[in-house]
Amino acid sequence: MYQKDQKVFYVTGASKGFGLSLTNQLLERGFNVAATSRTKEQLIKAVNSKLITEENFIALQVDLTSDESVKKSIEHTISKFSRIDVIINNAGYVQCGTIEELSDKEVRDNYECNLFGVISVIRHAIPYLRKNKFFANGPRIINISSIAGYSGASPAFSIYSSTKFALEGLTEGLNADLKEFGIHVSSVKPGYFRTSFFEKGSVSIPLNPINEYTAVRQVQDLHANQINGNQAGDPEKGSKVIIDHALSENPTVHLFLGPDSIKYAYLKIESIQNDIKLNNEAASSTDFTN
């Protein structure tokens, strides 16, 4: 049994950070939640037990790099709740380092979690979302991206940033693909929030660093030793905004989350506009008619 009159959320990476905050707030607001983590025991221990009942919550141990594991988790969710109303793809981690430093495995592992895991979840959820008539304004897919998926100009994060840029393109294209079914797809681009994001287990450093990359090491050390634990963003406030966005009548495709995210977005827009202006004459002379 479950609370039939309440929406069903499926949240990945729910044992810490934004995922945990989202899960607790959703349960507190009376929603049904299917939460995933690599370790089920850690997830159950992390979520506020006072908010959990047999009817409103299911903890799922999921390996996002395994399509079969993801498929089973979606099936378990449908078996318990009969539907899914909102997908929140939150799981992910930071891979520091440059292309020259990182092995093929380090790069591919980051893509497997940050991008292909998301694709797997969406692929298996879409058949149920397309049939979902419970959510009057249409089911939602919320992809937790990063401002690094819009502005990738910082040293040390080129691979991580590229996974999030890919997620941005996926979100925009998927929103167009699913529009005819009334399914809304959004990406959330947080700035710096005070979560465990830059702590061990959420960030990976190069196994074979190259000393010549001094700027990269400086930025890497800055995040580990100064920024970590001092971020201005409050994850509880950020989670509320994400949930409210997911429940809004017509959620926008893009949600820049946090004053710093908005600032970096405007700087990127200004940079693009300047580049267009500088190259406009030459770039506009390429048609057959010119």
Side-chain angles (χ1 to χ4, degrees):
M1 296 293 293
Y2 66 100
Q3 301 176 82
K4 292 183 179 181
D5 60 336
Q6 293 292 355
K7 293 181 175 65
V8 178
F9 285 73
Y10 176 100
V11 183
T12 69
S15 63
K16 58 184 176 181
F18 264 123
L20 179 58
S21 177
L22 286 164
T23 298
N24 282 330
Q25 285 196 32
L26 288 167
L27 292 170
E28 192 170 18
R29 289 169 70 163
F31 296 112
N32 302 297
V33 181
T36 84
S37 177
R38 287 175 294 179
T39 307
K40 183 175 180 178
E41 291 76 16
Q42 180 183 349
L43 174 59
I44 294 172
K45 184 178 180 181
V47 176
N48 187 344
S49 60
K50 295 180 180 178
L51 302 173
I52 296 174
T53 68
E54 291 186 6
E55 289 75 29
N56 71 351
F57 180 74
I58 180 173
L60 300 165
Q61 182 163 311
V62 179
D63 177 3
L64 288 175
T65 67
S66 165
D67 192 61
E68 184 62 25
S69 178
V70 171
K71 180 174 182 288
K72 287 181 178 179
S73 74
I74 296 293
E75 291 173 347
H76 287 163
T77 302
I78 297 299
S79 176
K80 181 175 180 63
F81 296 122
S82 80
R83 67 175 191 276
I84 298 173
D85 298 304
V86 182
I87 296 280
I88 301 183
N89 286 304
N90 168 74
Y93 72 95
V94 177
Q95 175 63 67
C96 293
T98 70
I99 289 177
E100 185 181 4
E101 295 176 302
L102 297 171
S103 67
D104 188 63
K105 185 178 186 306
E106 287 172 296
V107 173
R108 290 180 183 275
D109 283 352
N110 205 209
Y111 268 87
E112 286 289 344
C113 180
N114 292 5
L115 180 64
F116 291 111
V118 172
I119 291 173
S120 184
V121 168
I122 294 172
R123 178 191 297 118
H124 292 297
I126 282 177
Y128 301 103
L129 297 179
R130 285 196 293 108
K131 293 184 291 185
N132 185 329
K133 304 303 179 185
F134 177 82
F135 203 145
N137 297 313
R140 283 86 206 277
I141 299 172
I142 307 294
N143 296 325
I144 307 298
S145 179
S146 168
I147 186 57
Y150 187 77
S151 178
S154 174
F157 303 113
S158 57
I159 291 301
Y160 169 72
S161 183
S162 71
T163 69
K164 295 301 186 179
F165 264 78
L167 185 59
E168 291 296 317
L170 176 72
T171 299
E172 291 185 1
L174 195 63
N175 187 63
D177 290 341
L178 300 179
K179 189 178 293 292
E180 65 177 300
F181 304 107
I183 300 172
H184 302 266
V185 188
S186 302
S187 78
V188 180
K189 290 169 269 290
Y192 286 104
F193 280 80
R194 200 172 301 177
T195 67
S196 58
F197 200 58
F198 288 110
E199 295 177 4
K200 188 176 181 180
S202 296
V203 63
S204 181
I205 61 175
L207 296 176
N208 298 292
I210 298 173
N211 293 332
E212 284 83 351
Y213 284 104
T214 55
V216 170
R217 293 291 84 76
Q218 288 171 358
V219 171
Q220 186 179 311
D221 291 342
L222 176 68
H223 282 79
N225 300 314
Q226 295 184 42
I227 294 177
N228 184 39
N230 296 302
Q231 299 96 320
D234 181 343
E236 294 301 319
K237 292 180 179 179
S239 294
K240 182 183 184 303
V241 173
I242 294 170
I243 295 169
D244 289 344
H245 182 80
L247 296 172
S248 62
E249 183 175 352
N250 189 27
T252 59
V253 177
H254 302 282
L255 173 60
F256 293 90
L257 193 64
D260 55 343
S261 177
I262 294 170
K263 180 186 78 172
Y264 292 132
Y266 277 124
L267 289 173
K268 173 67 179 285
I269 292 168
E270 182 181 354
S271 174
I272 291 174
Q273 289 176 328
N274 288 336
D275 286 352
I276 292 172
K277 184 178 180 179
L278 287 170
N279 296 287
N280 183 63
E281 185 175 352
S284 299
S285 66
T286 56
D287 285 353
F288 281 110
T289 55
N290 292 328

